[in-house]
Amino acid sequence: QSVLTQSPSVSGAPGQSVTISCTGSSSNMGAGFDVHWYQQFPGTAPKLLIYGNHHRPSGVPDRFSGSKAGTSASLAISGLQAEDEADYYCQSYDISLRASVFGGGTKLTVL
Amino acid sequence: EVQVEESGGGVVQSGGSLRLSCAASGFTIASSHMTWVRQAPGKGLEWVSIVYTGGKTYYADSVKGRFTISADNSKSPLYLQMNSLRVEDTAVYYCARGRPGDYYDAFDIWGRGTMVTVSS
């Protein structure tokens, strides 16, 4: 059971928007720790997609956006494209565990 | 180009040991916060360990007392010494860099990973 909870799957048609949620607790996001998001294609390494709740690394399209409020965070993807089909993971720091923690991952299917 | 590359994975029997290495190019490991993350077959990401530039190290409870992370000097790779390996340690192990500056607990450079298989 992951410390951060994500829905196992989400889907959307090309051009549509989807939101992937990540729920934590008072010992991680609720304690003020930032959330980061990663994109992972099968058989490849994760790629940093969003850091510090809403910042995009250079090269990440602005179709990807992040937000955080209290003990929850969201990754929004607008204008879905076939190449967005991947697994998405949230990550934060947990003060009780003294460890970085990941969500269980959400598989995005583009219909 | 800034990148990292892991090596040292393989097949080992339960109870055995393995040492993973992570070589960096384009930056200095000793000047960066460096972490290991693993992914069991078909499963999600699991944070394993981190070493900060000041030398402090932290471990996931699942590996504490069995794994040791190190980055000895400016020219050496990052290492993960894994002892008393268990079947449940079977995974792809990724080395990653903590983002320089702010938000250093976000991992911005990842290697391709090295597979560790622990047999019973």
Side-chain angles (χ1 to χ4, degrees), chain A residues 19-41:
Chain A
T19 299
I20 297 172
S21 62
C22 176
T23 302
S25 68
S26 58
S27 62
N28 40 71
M29 285 189 271
F33 291 103
D34 295 313
V35 171
H36 318 297
W37 292 90
Y38 300 86
Q39 177 189 57
Q40 185 182 34
F41 297 106

Side-chain angles (χ1 to χ4, degrees), chain A residues 33-34 36 38 40 43-48 50-55 87 89 91-93 97-105, chain B residues 6 35 37 39 43-48 50 52 58-61 64 94 99 102-113:
Chain A
F33 291 103
D34 295 313
H36 318 297
Y38 300 86
Q40 185 182 34
T44 69
K47 168 192 168 184
L48 181 63
I50 297 286
Y51 66 91
N53 305 319
H54 59 88
H55 300 281
D87 294 323
Y89 294 90
Q91 177 226 338
S92 187
Y93 182 81
L97 298 172
R98 292 192 180 183
S100 280
V101 289
F102 285 95
Chain B
E6 306 90 342
T35 198
V37 174
Q39 187 170 34
K43 302 295 184 182
L45 302 174
E46 179 188 13
W47 177 80
V48 172
I50 193 166
Y52 291 104
Y58 294 90
Y59 301 89
D61 286 344
K64 204 171 292 183
Y94 295 102
R99 189 180 173 279
D102 294 340
Y103 310 109
Y104 54 80
D105 60 334
F107 309 131
D108 67 339
I109 304 296
W110 294 68
R112 295 183 177 182

Side-chain angles (χ1 to χ4, degrees), chain B residues 28-40:
Chain B
T28 303
I29 281 182
S31 301
S32 306
H33 308 307
M34 297 297 298
T35 198
W36 289 95
V37 174
R38 69 185 181 183
Q39 187 170 34

Side-chain angles (χ1 to χ4, degrees), chain B residues 51-87:
Chain B
V51 56
Y52 291 104
T53 54
K56 273 197 173 291
T57 58
Y58 294 90
Y59 301 89
D61 286 344
S62 57
V63 307
K64 204 171 292 183
R66 301 187 298 123
F67 290 12
T68 302
I69 190 171
S70 62
D72 296 331
N73 59 61
S74 62
K75 294 185 178 180
S76 76
L78 175 73
Y79 296 109
L80 185 67
Q81 177 67 43
M82 305 186 296
N83 298 330
S84 303
L85 281 162
R86 304 167 179 168
V87 171

Side-chain angles (χ1 to χ4, degrees), chain A residues 7-20:
Chain A
S7 297
S9 63
V10 67
S11 62
Q16 288 187 333
S17 298
V18 296
T19 299
I20 297 172

